[in-house]
Structure formats: structure tokens, C-alpha cells
Amino acid sequence: MQKLTITRPDDWHLHLRDGAALKAVLPHTVRQFARAIIMPNLKPPVRTVADAVAYRDRIIAAIPAGQQFEPLMTLYLTDNTSPEDIVAAKESQFVKAVKYYPAGATTNSDFGVTDIRKCDRVFAAMQQVDLPLLLHGEVTDQAVDVFDREQVFIEQQLIPLKQRFPKLRVVLEHITTSDAVEFVLATDNIAATITPQHLLFSRNILFKGGIRPHFYCLPILKRETHRRALLQAATSGNPKFFLGTDSAPHPRDRKESDCGCAGCFSALHAMELYAEAFESADALDKLEAFASFYGPDFYQLPRNTEQITLTQKTWRIPDEVPFVESGLVPLWAGEEIAWQIS
Ligand code: DOR
Ligand code: ZN
């Protein structure tokens, strides 16, 4: 039986929600990861250090007894975020980044930024105190094809942003295109996270045998050439690319609906999914650095010292796990997977 023992990984992009949903999903992440960058898109969003302190306390209270987990907090950037908010965030020590959502781009983004140039004073403060900016890199212009929104964001907004603030450290989150890979490779002070779904699937899976809402997330899955470029980047050993699941739980009823929510739930089996993807590229030897080294290096945090073991053992991803309102369908539910965390 093949075993793979690696340094305990962290998740550099995670949605935990709040209340009963938080209590339902957090144990899955705690089983897999030591730390996670926690997304601030609650209703209402986490906008200030005080919001982040309170949310962090609720997360810590939901950690199963006797287990270790460190939530790394983020603030939600709005048109009203001030340079003073940035200084306070940096001084707090536990706010590790600020998240940019274009208004209307995705789940709970109504408070998001209406024009990225409105934030230049805030970006200047972030560059000054060295607080990373996390980007949901899609334009919201409805005239732009949904499959082109990341590429157009890079051209119209990200390239000018990096010209205005070359030293601002940026993470282009959940990248989905070869354009994003090329831009990250060519530009200083920018890294990217990559999800398991974007490494494993192209957009074909969205329509395989019928419409498949549990593969719908934003940015949406792209064509196979892009998937291959992402897999190549993730397995290349380049420290600019690291793990971020974007696990984003929604109740089954809200996904299987005439207007289903965006988000794939992968916290249950994230490392197994990444192992599957890396094995497909014959690159299991590159998994540890992608999952456990390059993220903390970017965030200037110590690497973890404990280890986890993945065992080659086929098991079936459950159809559903308990959640709120209705069940929670994991990514690739019902399929067999070749690795298991122990
Ligand atoms: O698919 C997504 N789900 N993309 C996002 O940007 C947000 C997330 C969520 O919060 O559900
Ligand atoms: Zn996300």
C-alpha cells in the first residue's frame, strides 16, 4: 500500500460561513488543515478589525474539543474602507489580508467595490504596511462573456493595478485560465491559489449527462486547455502557486434550484482531491510544497511542523454530509477516489 507522509497543509482560501453552518463544516477543515485564510463574505461582511475579532472568536468556539486549528482572518474591502482600517488590521496581527470582491460578482458580494480605482488610497496603505490583497479576479460587466471574465479582469484592472502599486503583494485567488498563469509568472509580488475543482475538471463536467449544479462555482470552470495549464502550474514546483480550496458550502436545496448558488464544497476531502490531481500529472512529489510550504512562505508565517499521511486506498465520496436546512453535497459526490487521509 502506497503512503505519502507530508507536512500538515493549510488552506489559503476557505469559506466557513457562520452559526450552525460554521459548526457543521469546520470539523472537516480541522481534520485536513492546520490553518486557513477565512473569507469575509458573511451577511453582513467582515469589514473591520472588530468584526474580525468577533468572527474569529466564533470560529475558535466551534473547533472540536481537543483539536488544533488557527483561523487567519481577512477584511472585506468596500468603497468605504479607509487607510486607517488598514493600519488597524496590520496592527491587529491576526488580520492577514484584505479581500476584494467586485460588487455583484458572486455570493454575498453586494457590499463589494463598485470601481477598483476608488480604493487607491487603501491600496497605497496596504502597500505601505505590507498587507496582502486577495483578488476575486473577475469583471462584472454583463456584456463580457462569463468564460472571459477573468482574462478581461487581468487586462483591464489587474495590469493597471500592478503598475500603480508594483510592491503591493497580491494573491489572484482561485485562478482558472492559462492567461492567469502567464500573468502570475511574468509579474513580481503576485501569487495565486488553485482549487481542486479547477485542477480536476473542465467545463464539460457542468453538462455531462445533464446540468450538474454541484460543479458550479465562480469563477466558472473553463475549457480543458486551461485546466491543463493550471495543473502544470500547480505541479511545477513554482512557489507562486499554492493551495486554496475555495470550499464554499451551500445547502443542497440552494444548489439544486432554478437559480442555484455558486460554490463547491471540498473541505471534506480536499487533500484527497489534490492528491488525485497531482497523481494524474505523475507529480505527487510536488504536493507537499504546494500544500504546505509555499502558502506560509508567501504569508511570511512559519511552516507547520506536524505531519499527515495520505494512504492509497479507494473509497467512495458520500452523496451528502449533514448541514443546515438541507444536506451538503461534496464535490464529486458518489465517485471513487484513490487516496485517503488518516
Ligand atoms: O463559487 C463561489 N462561491 N465563488 C465565490 O467567489 C464565492 C463563493 C461562496 O461564498 O459561496
Ligand atoms: Zn472564495
Side-chain angles (χ1 to χ4, degrees), residues 13 15 17 41 99 101 105-108 136 174 197 216-219 246 248-250 261-264:
H13 184 125
H15 298 268
R17 316 303 190 204
N41 62 332
K99 178 70 189 271
Y101 287 101
T106 188
T107 310
N108 301 347
H136 184 109
H174 41 54
Q197 63 267 28
Y216 173 57
C217 66
L218 288 171
D246 198 16
H250 294 277
C261 297
C264 298

Side-chain angles (χ1 to χ4, degrees), residues 189-230:
N189 297 317
I190 184 162
T193 52
I194 310 182
T195 76
Q197 63 267 28
H198 293 103
L199 291 177
L200 287 167
F201 309 112
S202 76
R203 63 193 189 180
N204 279 4
I205 196 125
L206 286 163
F207 307 107
K208 195 174 169 202
I211 193 154
R212 311 276 296 273
H214 299 291
F215 291 95
Y216 173 57
C217 66
L218 288 171
I220 197 161
L221 296 173
K222 304 298 191 300
R223 61 171 68 238
E224 176 66 8
T225 48
H226 293 299
R227 185 191 75 83
R228 284 175 196 259
L230 298 172

Side-chain angles (χ1 to χ4, degrees), residues 45-66:
V46 177
R47 280 169 288 186
T48 64
V49 171
D51 295 341
V53 175
Y55 186 31
R56 181 169 175 268
D57 287 346
R58 298 195 295 280
I59 295 168
I60 289 170
I63 299 171

Side-chain angles (χ1 to χ4, degrees), residues 21-38:
L22 164 65
K23 291 196 182 73
V25 293
L26 182 60
H28 300 299
T29 287
V30 172
R31 250 188 87 235
Q32 301 243 341
F33 298 108
R35 298 171 288 196
I37 286 277
I38 311 300

Side-chain angles (χ1 to χ4, degrees), residues 10-14 33 37 173-175 192-198 241-247 266 270 274 290-291:
D10 305 299
D11 185 350
W12 301 96
H13 184 125
L14 175 67
F33 298 108
I37 286 277
E173 299 283 358
H174 41 54
I175 58 169
T193 52
I194 310 182
T195 76
Q197 63 267 28
H198 293 103
F241 301 100
F242 50 84
L243 184 156
T245 64
D246 198 16
S247 179
S266 59
Y274 282 111
F290 173 81

